[in-house]
Amino acid sequence: MKLTFAAIGAVLVLLSIFAYRTLPSENTDGKTRLVWVTDNNPVRAEQVALFNKLNPDLELVIDPANTDQQKVIVQSIGGVGPDLFDTYGQESAEAYVASGIAWDITDRMLEAGIDVPKVIWPVAVPSCVVNGRVYGFPCNVNANAIWFNKDVFDRSGVPYPKPGWTWEEFIETAKKLTIRDEKGRAKQFGLYWDFGATRDLVYQHGGRYFDPTLTRCTLDSPEAIAGVKLSHALMYVHKVAPTPTEEAALSTQGGWGSGGITFLMSGRVAMAYGGRWWLNLMRKQKGLRLGVVEIPYAKDKVTVGGARCTFVNKNSPKRELALRFIRFLASREYNELLNDQADALAPVMEYCYTERFLHNPEHPEEDYNAVWREVVKNSVPAEFCPFLRGGEMEPINTQLDLVRGGLKDPELACKDAARNATARIRRNARLIPHLGRLYRERTGMDP
Amino acid sequence: MTSAARHRRNLLIALSFLLPNFLGFLIFTLGPVVFTFGAAFTNWDLQGIEPLRWVGLFNFATLASDDRFWIYLVNTIYFLLGMPFAIAGSLAVAVLLSTKIRGLVVYRTLLYLPSVTSGVAVMLLWKVLYNPDFGPINHLIETFLGWLGFENAKGPAWLLSTQNLFALAVERLGIDPGQFGLGAREAIILMGLWGAVGGGNMLLYLAALTNVPKELQEAAELDGATRWQNFRNVTWPQLAPTTFFIVVMGFIGGLQGGFEQARVMTGGGPAGTTTTLAYYIYNKAFTEFQMGYASAVALVLFALIFAVTLINWKFGNKELNY
Amino acid sequence: MAAENIKGERARKFAAHVTLWVLAALSLLPFFWMVLTSFKPLAEVESPNPFPTEWHPENYRLVFEQVPFARYYFNSVFIAAWCTFLVVLTSSMAAYAFSRLHWPGRDHVFRLYLATMMIPGLVTTIPNFSLMVRLHLLDSYQGLIIPAAFSAFGTFMLRQFMMSIHPALDESAEVDGARPWQIFWDIILPLARPGLVTLAIFTFMGNYGSLFWPLIMVKSEALRTLPIGMMYFDSQYGRQTNVLMAASVMNIVPLVVLFVVGQRFFVKGIMLGSVKG
């Protein structure tokens, strides 16, 4: 028996040697490896290649499997964090700063002659500047508009949408483009509507999620309700956009992939609300004829914009080298590559005001770049309520999810969301000392 | 050698055998349990966004007023409803197999296969089987309904549906008649039955059945008892210890179950209807890293399991004396 | 009278066979569907006909091309093998102390130890995970193996097994001057071999399919096990149901083989695990 155990143990030790030797190694041909946690977008490869070409002593690799903010933080504390990681807005930026893993690079950037808040699109500032200090640089900036598939319009004999259209015109168009079979299963939808864009509709109706002091949820205001109602109506009243159930059934099988991009490409939807970065995928399908037009506006000409920013891990032993990547993000080479790739819009404003941006010689069919610049210019960042810590948007999201699923009346849901969220804000302010101070500062009242 | 010295020597020898296991036990079981008890009273958050401090019963107060906790508790209990059916099914199969049937090993192997292969791969399979529009299950149902004359009837939306047989409302505690139907919860329960009926419990019953003294049954038969009476009055009481064991283990497993199904098949949805306490703890602890709160929920779950097991003991012992 | 009885008995047997066949068919149908779908071209996945019109065995090759499936396989087997080895070793030692050695308070300690089996795993995972974070064992083989190297269930099962070995055996060896370690290795373990194999099969299967712990511990692709890999495969490439099913088939095959080969031990283990201590 002893022999059996010893033999098995020996085999396992041999296997272990094999297992460890075949793990990806840290150093490759004398280059230092930098790990960047970001999404696995196909265009990322070209951006990485450009950086590696400009920095022959470094080898930047991406890690797409660990993009969760919490994971990045915990892994950094556990010593297996990345060197560079992305943030997706004010909330995640502030969380990284609070957890102590974001490196303050204000002075380093100024030394390099880059005044970050001045050169980037204003909508991107809250995503990389926290309390006046710079922690990162945007990779790209995005705001949404309506994509439309010209072939689907032609097929149904519907004229292309025109700038400045109204919501009535929009819905009428979308209805003409929605086709259902005798069982009521839709073959084609007029619109793919990402319910996350409900916020855009709230904002363009003049509503906001919170009041200016960010101490009260205002989703129960008539403006906000009007926005949520419209978002709901697209799916459940006008029935021009797939409900979550219809969408899941459309996408779980058959290789279509999910989401508006593939639906739009395959002609299963005529229009979709999305960003310029959709071209990443859509350019692959040759002969696809697309157009872009701004979404109809109700009251204000505004959309919700956002930026993906890259931060440096303060605990990384290679942070000085990683900083070179941040400077790369501000460079002409990177910005022009990004605009050529159509990975949303370049973070540095001035590179979006060039002839090269408006008319990419390799893609003459893309005659709508001015629309993208316009929506990004008019976009505002999503509000971030500091009293709802780490994903505590729950009271709001729960209600919006119900609306999205067609399970609750939008008006009722808005009122419940506002009440629950405000209660949550007060409770957090009562219980958490520094939030209590902030609350008193902003309202002059006790929570 | 004195008796005391021998005792000490024996103890030392025993300890040397126990050492590895006990070390592991201390580090990975006992220590963590104690730790969890402490953590449940702190604001512990692995991300270090807020400084660590004691918060007393705050987590438990939050939990009591956390609608989601109660809804997920109901979900967890809902999934336990599959248990009686699974046990009855296992017993029925075991009874069939215990009749000195030919090909016992073949049947046993085939019936056991679903439970041996449970796990991610099989859950992914069921996810596809349940697809409302293209899955074979709905295809069968719709064909069948077609025969009955309901030409355009659609099968249930299964994993995409919040409906359930008890018409439980969505996202709140209560009843909503519109929610009556077959949905994600039933889909998961049915899949569980598929995996459980021929599984370990069936084997346990099979073993217990072969141990029922033949004389008792023969004596009852001589008294003119029908098969059912014979089963009800002779066999079933003899199976009581096994049933008791199965029920206790079923509760312990069931109350902390539902994680894999939720993670692999539904993401806890739609609208949280398949989120169990286990999945809630996972989300709180390992995606939001709110360790303090998650510890509190875990403790409540622990207390619940403990209480249910105690009740089972009391109730079960009575049954045994019967 | 007797003839009628035999007739009735036959009818009952026949009914039992029919019922069992129906149940067996229900058990197996999903597997058939899975295997058939794994050979379909993508375009036929939505078709109600369960059989592929043309067979595409290259779906299996595609699995290996799209993800490092071989690495997942290796990791699952490798980690499960280490866990199994360590569990069998530590459990058999503890079981020996609880069943064959005599020391004061033995049965009390055992009962207490047994009671810990009731603790829900979730109660311990939170501190264990944070321990792994502190020890910088996140995303490492050690972090996946070590916490799974100890099992109260294994100790319990092997104790049951060792209790049934006749006490005279080691007593006579002791009289001959054998040390406890010698008795353990040379007498008890060989006699407990069926128990060891049973525990090994159980532990291996459990760790091979384990989802929770690897899910929270693994970060890099090179360390993913099959369950984790399958899950990412489903979310990233899963629209190709045929290829996904091919991956599922390959995931399940080792379990089926192990079960069919080791069935004898398997059945025995389930019985043993339930005998009250």
Side-chain angles (χ1 to χ4, degrees), chain B residues 15-91:
Chain B
L15 270 181
S16 68
F17 278 95
L18 286 173
L19 191 69
N21 205 320
F22 263 40
L23 216 58
F25 169 72
L26 283 182
I27 298 174
F28 298 114
T29 305
L30 192 63
V33 169
V34 174
F35 200 96
T36 302
F37 268 89
F41 299 92
T42 67
N43 70 341
W44 184 29
D45 173 344
L46 261 194
Q47 300 172 77
I49 291 174
E50 274 178 58
L52 183 69
R53 59 193 169 86
W54 292 101
V55 294
L57 290 172
F58 173 66
N59 287 329
F60 294 93
T62 311
L63 187 150
S65 64
D66 177 355
D67 289 348
R68 307 213 141 195
F69 170 79
W70 295 105
I71 291 165
Y72 299 155
L73 178 62
V74 170
N75 287 345
T76 310
I77 294 168
Y78 198 108
F79 285 124
L80 288 177
L81 294 176
M83 195 161 76
F85 297 100
I87 294 177
S90 296
L91 179 57

Side-chain angles (χ1 to χ4, degrees), chain B residues 206-226:
Chain B
L206 194 54
L209 281 168
T210 52
N211 290 337
V212 173
K214 287 278 164 294
E215 305 84 64
L216 282 179
Q217 289 177 337
E218 279 159 14
E221 234 164 275
L222 281 180
D223 287 348
T226 63

Side-chain angles (χ1 to χ4, degrees), chain C:
Chain C
M1 187 76 191
E4 226 168 78
N5 237 343
I6 289 171
K7 229 179 178 179
E9 191 62 31
R10 270 202 188 150
R12 254 197 299 280
K13 280 253 154 100
F14 181 72
H17 275 291
V18 170
T19 317
L20 285 168
W21 271 115
V22 169
L23 287 172
L26 281 177
S27 292
L28 295 184
L29 269 181
F31 293 119
F32 281 129
W33 192 89
M34 169 169 74
V35 172
L36 291 174
T37 304
S38 75
F39 286 104
K40 279 183 172 182
L42 185 60
E44 283 180 22
V45 163
E46 290 181 4
S47 135
N49 175 11
F51 291 92
T53 54
E54 41 179 318
W55 291 72
H56 281 241
E58 73 268 21
N59 288 342
Y60 285 81
R61 203 192 63 232
L62 284 178
V63 175
F64 288 90
E65 279 173 12
Q66 293 180 358
V67 287
F69 202 74
R71 184 83 207 181
Y72 300 165
Y73 240 127
F74 172 80
N75 285 339
S76 272
V77 172
F78 173 68
I79 292 166
W82 258 120
C83 294
T84 306
F85 177 72
L86 293 173
V87 162
V88 170
L89 191 66
T90 58
S91 300
S92 58
M93 281 166 64
Y96 177 72
F98 278 131
S99 61
R100 315 297 298 188
L101 298 174
H102 301 279
W103 42 284
R106 182 186 87 175
D107 293 343
H108 291 293
V109 173
F110 180 70
R111 232 165 272 144
L112 270 180
Y113 182 70
L114 201 60
T116 63
M117 270 170 64
M118 220 183 72
I119 297 172
L122 281 165
V123 174
T124 57
T125 34
I126 294 173
N128 275 339
F129 177 75
S130 115
L131 181 71
M132 294 295 132
V133 172
R134 292 297 122 105
L135 295 177
H136 286 202
L137 284 180
L138 273 192
D139 201 37
S140 70
Y141 282 121
Q142 303 96 294
L144 288 169
I145 293 169
I146 297 171
F150 313 94
S151 159
F153 168 77
T155 308
F156 167 66
M157 207 185 86
L158 288 181
R159 176 185 174 269
Q160 301 302 105
F161 215 96
M162 291 183 185
M163 290 292 261
S164 65
I165 299 172
H166 203 283
L169 277 171
D170 40 342
E171 272 162 24
S172 67
E174 212 169 333
V175 171
D176 291 344
R179 319 290 305 166
W181 281 100
Q182 276 171 306
I183 298 174
F184 172 70
W185 283 114
D186 299 336
I187 297 177
I188 300 300
L189 279 193
L191 285 174
R193 187 184 315 217
L196 300 182
V197 175
T198 305
L199 176 61
I201 292 181
F202 267 84
T203 315
F204 187 88
M205 285 190 168
N207 282 293
Y208 178 84
S210 152
L211 175 66
F212 196 105
W213 188 247
L215 188 66
I216 58 178
M217 288 289 291
V218 167
K219 173 190 170 224
S220 47
E221 187 160 47
L223 258 97
R224 280 186 194 161
T225 58
L226 272 180
I228 312 289
M230 294 281 300
M231 256 179 46
Y232 281 103
F233 190 70
D234 181 44
S235 55
Q236 283 172 16
Y237 306 86
R239 317 299 166 196
Q240 314 163 62
T241 305
N242 49 351
V243 185
L244 182 71
M245 288 301 112
S248 295
V249 170
M250 289 190 282
N251 189 338
I252 285 174
V253 162
L255 290 176
V256 175
V257 170
L258 197 60
F259 169 65
V260 172
V261 171
Q263 203 186 138
R264 186 159 60 93
F265 298 102
F266 213 82
V267 175
K268 185 145 195 162
I270 288 182
M271 311 292 176
L272 266 181
S274 72
V275 179
K276 283 214 239 55

Side-chain angles (χ1 to χ4, degrees), chain A residues 99 252-253 389 398 431, chain B residues 47 50 58 68 128 131 134:
Chain A
S99 69
T252 34
Q253 280 185 320
R389 313 153 298 154
T398 307
L431 292 164
Chain B
Q47 300 172 77
E50 274 178 58
F58 173 66
R68 307 213 141 195
V128 183
N131 184 291
F134 312 112

Side-chain angles (χ1 to χ4, degrees), chain A residues 146 170 174 177-178 189-193 234 240-242 269-273:
Chain A
I146 298 284
F170 176 86
L177 293 158
T178 303
F189 282 99
L191 172 71
Y192 175 81
W193 181 243
L234 294 172
V240 294
V269 302
M271 297 182 280
Y273 190 52

